[in-house]
């Protein structure tokens, strides 16, 4: 018997949720790096007796950190959360015939199936520990 929801989709949802967390952490770290590099660049540019090499190096790293900050922030906002992915998966597999057979509203069905998926995923995580 073929499962309605592939176990690989559950794995991918968990993987994307971890990636979302990674992009969030990267955004925070890159934001801090951009602030620190901006301060160093401003302080270095105020000292006219100093060599230009640190200023150029600081500007180069500041540009790179701002670009990666934008990329990681964009990816963080576009990757949906775990709950959203479960809801999308359930809504893709639930039909009006299934809902009428159960006799509940659509929201009740989605909530029930999402809870069951969470229970299965959490049971697997507890067994790994």
């Amino acid at each position: 018997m073929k499962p309605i929801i592939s176990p690989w989709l559950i794995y991918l949802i968990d993987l994307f949720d971890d990636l979302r967390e990674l992009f969030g952490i990267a955004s925070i770290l890159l934001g801090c790096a951009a602030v620190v590099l901006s301060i160093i660049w401003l302080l270095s540019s105020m000292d006219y007796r100093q060599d230009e090499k640190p200023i150029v190096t600081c500007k180069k790293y500041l540009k790179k950190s701002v670009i990666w900050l934008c990329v990681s922030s964009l990816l963080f906002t576009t990757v949906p959360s775990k709950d959203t992915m479960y809801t999308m998966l359930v809504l893709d597999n639930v039909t009006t015939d299934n809902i009428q057979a159960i006799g509940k509203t659509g929201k009740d069905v989605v909530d029930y199936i999402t809870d069951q998926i969470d229970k299965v995923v959490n049971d697997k995580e507890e067994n790994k520990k």
Side-chain angles (χ1 to χ4, degrees):
M1 187 165 143
K2 184 180 174 189
I4 295 174
I5 298 173
S6 171
W8 283 102
L9 290 174
I10 303 296
Y11 168 74
L12 289 174
I13 288 172
D14 193 49
L15 179 69
F16 283 133
D17 190 53
D18 292 342
L19 282 174
R20 187 178 199 289
E21 290 176 16
L22 180 67
F23 292 139
I25 292 169
S27 296
I28 291 169
L29 293 176
L30 288 168
C32 293
V35 169
V36 168
L37 287 171
S38 297
I39 292 171
I40 291 171
W41 175 56
L42 286 173
L43 293 176
S44 296
S45 64
M46 292 173 132
D47 190 9
Y48 298 110
R49 298 169 294 173
Q50 196 175 24
D51 187 15
E52 289 290 319
K53 186 176 179 181
I55 296 173
V56 172
T57 304
C58 192
K59 281 172 110 175
K60 180 176 85 171
Y61 286 121
L62 180 62
K63 286 179 187 177
K64 287 181 181 181
S65 66
V66 168
I67 289 170
W68 282 109
L69 173 65
C70 292
V71 168
S72 64
S73 297
L74 178 68
L75 289 173
F76 178 74
T77 56
T78 57
V79 173
S81 69
K82 189 184 247 184
D83 291 335
T84 303
M85 286 188 274
Y86 282 147
T87 304
M88 291 167 54
L89 180 66
V90 168
L91 290 176
D92 188 42
N93 290 298
V94 172
T95 63
T96 54
D97 296 334
N98 295 341
I99 293 172
Q100 288 175 355
I102 295 172
K104 294 183 179 182
T105 64
K107 180 164 176 29
D108 293 338
V109 172
V110 170
D111 289 341
Y112 175 75
I113 295 173
T114 303
D115 291 340
Q116 293 302 314
I117 291 172
D118 281 339
K119 187 192 310 184
V120 169
V121 170
N122 290 334
D123 288 343
K124 286 183 182 179
E125 288 176 3
E126 289 176 6
N127 290 336
K128 286 181 184 179
K129 294 177 183 178

